Amino acid sequence: MNSYIKNVIEDVENRNSNEKEFIQSVHEVLETLEKVIDNNPDFEKNGLLERLVEPERVIMFRVPWVDDNGKVQVNKGYRVQFNGSIGPYKGGLRFHESVNLSIMKFLAFEQTFKNALTGLPIGGGKGGSDFNPKGKSDNEIMRFCQSFMNELQRHIGADLDVPAGDIGVGAREIGYLFGQYRKIKNLYEAGVLTGKGLSYGGSLARKEATGFGLIYFMREMLKANNMTLEGKTVTISGSGNVAIYAAQKTLEYGAKVVAMSDSNGCIWDKDGIDLAEIKRIKEVERLRIKEYLKKYPNAVYMENVKGEIPAVYTIKTDIALPCATQNDINLETAKLLVSNGVKAIGEGANMPTTIEGIKYFLENGILFAPAKAANAGGVATSALEMSQNSMRCPWTFEEVDEKLDRIMTNIFATCKHTAEKYNLGKNYLAGANIAAFSKVADAMIAQGII
Ligand code: NDP
Ligand code: 2IT
């Protein structure tokens, strides 16, 4: 490996030794940059990689709130402002009990490159809390969001840092966060958050954007390899925002979704999943996916067992779409998918495949749509929401969807051309990393040592 890259990775490992997800994401990006770094000795003189792997700012704060029993609860709050060289920090908020600094930093690091690929002026950031929304009442969610915003409001703004949703944060949470921001600041600053409701500055098609964008990317990737979605079998890990709208677009293109999951297990319906029922269970009732059996007793439910391959990946499929969480697919899972004949993987989640899993897919000729390119449709549409807020003029669903399709088509073309230019074959991950890195590096060098 190039000695500059090797030294920077070692340094990241030594100085952040307890941050395993962050270290993994640094490995994943830097290891694909060899040819660019070899060609640009100036990067080392500029300390470019050392600066790239260190967040510009990390904010950590206390989030106290009172539960429905009158008991005080305290959670950790985070916002990582990783890289602002190409625009205001931009990225979602994750509310999940597993959230820690390592996960926040990996997500913000990934976001920096993803946002660069969209071609829109947005920097990389991410935030969240170890708050667990499951089983909380609506009032508890509201009080938590208000307390979270009491602190976050000092660090965000339409031209500074623009949060949005991620795991555990959807339209309901963004509404409570926006309301509290507006009250504290006494200001209607629509562009401070994205993923807003349609009645107060949200964009049509933002809710659908990540899932639709993933399938637009998949369509392009299959097309470039003389395949189509039509008639294919698809399994989806997750049943949240990304999973549901990926399923919807998959169905529109004539493929069949046979399985979806949540953290407890998966449902397998050979006739094809009834997506309207999934939406009712997940978007309206906020229940477990097992509930699907009540309406479809002939479907199969398979429980996840800790330490074993997640049930959804044991099902034979043409296309697997990991749309839940990080490190869902390890080497063992990748091997099983390949031996069951999988043809393509589309990463809707962030870093859902381990480095060993990715290598195995690529070595076995499986088409691999990497997260930071394939799931960029969500944040790209957030940037379109920011544009509409600045213009004070909303676009129609069709206008936004058409722009999203064009952006995803361009991102795939960029990944493909860059991989080909560097003789990396169908390694679209390397293509994505090199293209994104080149843009961020250019902006950082132009702006001097800051
Ligand atoms: P949601 O909260 O809407 O849904 C998350 C889904 O993933 C649920 O089905 C959840 O199951 C499952 N899940 C979460 N954590 C785990 C876990 N530890 N193990 C197994 N399953 C889990 O989130 P989103 O759909 O918004 O996000 C899904 C993924 O997509 C995340 O990786 C996110 O970072 C990424 N992403 C999201 C974007 C967006 O615009 N929302 C944009 C780009 C990427 P359960 O209910 O049981 O927890
Ligand atoms: O991971 C992601 O890209 C998101 N959660 C969406 C971020 C955003 O700002 O819309």
Side-chain angles (χ1 to χ4, degrees), residues 94 96 107 114 126 134 165-169 206 210 238-243 261-264 282 288 304 323-326 328 348-350 375 378-379:
R94 176 177 292 191
H96 192 269
L107 288 164
K114 181 195 306 195
K126 200 86 186 190
K134 287 200 185 85
D166 193 78
I167 292 177
V169 178
R206 172 64 189 89
T210 312
S239 49
N241 172 263
V242 179
S261 68
D262 61 21
S263 56
N264 296 102
K282 289 295 174 184
R288 305 280 76 208
N304 286 334
C323 296
T325 191
Q326 62 275 359
D328 210 16
N350 285 306
N375 75 29
V379 76

